Amino acid sequence: MAVTINPRPADFPFMREAAEKISLLSGTTPPALKIEGIEATEAQLYTRADPAQEALDALLRNDVEATRKHLREMAIDKVREHHVEDEAKRATIHKAKETVLSEDFPLLLEYINSNLEKARRGFNENAKLINKEWGKADHTPEFLAALDLADAGIELQDMLRKNFQVQTPKHAHPFTVGSMRPYVNYNSLNLLDTRNTRVKLIDSMNERAKPGSSIKLHWKSSQEFEAERKEYEAMLGKLGDDAQEDIPVYEYWLNKKK
């Protein structure tokens, strides 16, 4: 079953960020949102030339009418309550954004839920080059570009968990396969994971692999996540405290291959 999200309107900023990453990974185009036009207009509302400078410039070029115009603007500015105008702008912009949210929210939600699976597949297609060239001394520009795209995928997965409550099964690795040990969830240990995305990728790819295997970058499907969870729980149940030691864990996976 494909992953979907069920956000609240308050999550709309996160949805926009997620949609950008989905677009990169899936090669699809996000819908045009009305809020984008409001934001463009908002930027122009706060862009205003200085009438004092314009009056000076007009005077220097001997333009009488333009000089009078800008001097009048300067006079108006002296009596205008600037904060009243700014508050009016903010209130109007806020109301406009609230108005278009009723249309933009379902439109963007439909795009996200329709393309999350395409983004997962795009991540895995991109990961093929990384898995092939990982560990080589010299990296091609294509490899480095693939790493950048992988970062976007890992950040998207983080957003799904943190902002949209899409849970990864306990013990399952979020974006790799082949690790000898279960995933250590920093959040479950009440630790703050301050690593940036690239460091998380490198640390995960450099973990100890199961005998005869290698760590590979891979965004698992729901079924694959669940299968990996069961696999690690079976190992933990079999080894008990010995699961903390390298040799018993290595031998466990070695015997599973036979």
Side-chain angles (χ1 to χ4, degrees):
M1 185 175 66
V3 170
T4 57
I5 63 172
N6 185 27
R8 305 160 300 158
D11 297 322
F12 190 67
F14 300 121
M15 291 169 62
R16 293 181 71 184
E17 187 178 348
E20 289 180 8
K21 298 183 189 305
I22 289 170
S23 174
L24 286 172
L25 292 160
S26 66
T28 57
T29 303
L33 303 175
K34 289 190 174 182
I35 195 171
E36 293 166 354
I38 292 172
E39 288 171 343
T41 304
E42 178 183 4
Q44 295 178 39
L45 287 176
Y46 288 97
T47 302
R48 182 172 180 265
D50 178 12
Q53 184 62 52
E54 291 197 332
L56 177 60
D57 291 342
L59 184 58
L60 290 173
R61 65 175 182 267
N62 303 319
D63 188 334
V64 177
E65 288 305 315
T67 303
R68 285 174 176 164
K69 174 188 173 185
H70 297 309
L71 287 172
R72 282 195 297 270
E73 291 174 353
M74 290 172 63
I76 292 170
D77 279 353
K78 288 290 185 183
V79 297
R80 177 188 288 152
E81 292 287 344
H82 290 288
H83 68 277
V84 173
E85 183 179 358
D86 288 342
E87 287 175 4
K89 286 178 183 175
R90 284 193 293 269
T92 303
I93 291 165
H94 179 72
K95 184 64 177 176
K97 288 180 177 179
E98 278 191 336
T99 301
V100 301
L101 182 63
S102 62
E103 296 181 41
D104 283 351
F105 181 86
L107 190 64
L108 194 59
L109 180 59
E110 171 64 22
Y111 170 78
I112 290 171
N113 283 337
S114 297
N115 290 286
L116 262 175
E117 177 61 18
K118 291 179 184 176
R120 185 185 74 84
R121 292 177 182 174
F123 179 91
N124 290 338
E125 185 64 31
N126 177 70
K128 290 178 181 178
L129 176 61
I130 297 174
N131 294 331
K132 180 180 179 181
E133 294 196 16
W134 189 264
K136 290 184 178 179
D138 298 317
H139 296 310
T140 63
E142 292 78 13
F143 175 84
L144 297 176
L147 283 180
D148 289 338
L149 189 56
D151 283 345
I154 292 169
E155 288 162 2
L156 174 60
Q157 291 177 66
D158 281 343
M159 289 188 71
L160 292 176
R161 289 188 291 273
K162 294 175 183 176
N163 302 116
F164 304 113
Q165 293 74 53
V166 175
Q167 298 301 314
T168 299
K170 188 177 180 181
H171 306 310
H173 291 261
F175 49 84
T176 57
V177 293
S179 179
M180 195 168 82
R181 281 202 167 80
Y183 173 63
V184 176
N185 188 337
Y186 281 76
N187 294 325
S188 67
L189 299 175
N190 294 317
L191 298 173
L192 183 63
D193 189 352
T194 58
R195 297 174 300 167
N196 65 36
T197 303
R198 182 62 57 83
V199 171
K200 281 196 266 188
L201 188 158
I202 293 170
D203 287 349
S204 297
M205 290 293 284
N206 288 338
E207 287 183 2
R208 183 167 295 184
K210 296 172 185 175
S213 300
S214 61
I215 306 290
K216 287 185 170 58
L217 200 63
H218 181 74
W219 183 346
K220 293 177 280 291
S221 66
S222 298
Q223 294 84 355
E224 289 171 324
F225 268 122
E226 188 60 23
E228 186 174 274
R229 177 191 70 80
K230 291 179 179 178
E231 188 178 46
Y232 281 119
E233 287 190 353
M235 185 206 77
L236 294 171
K238 177 77 172 177
L239 296 182
D241 291 342
D242 286 344
Q244 305 302 316
E245 304 296 329
D246 283 349
I247 294 176
V249 173
Y250 188 85
E251 289 179 341
Y252 174 85
W253 295 116
L254 197 60
N255 290 329
K256 291 280 286 186
K257 288 181 56 126
K258 295 177 182 177

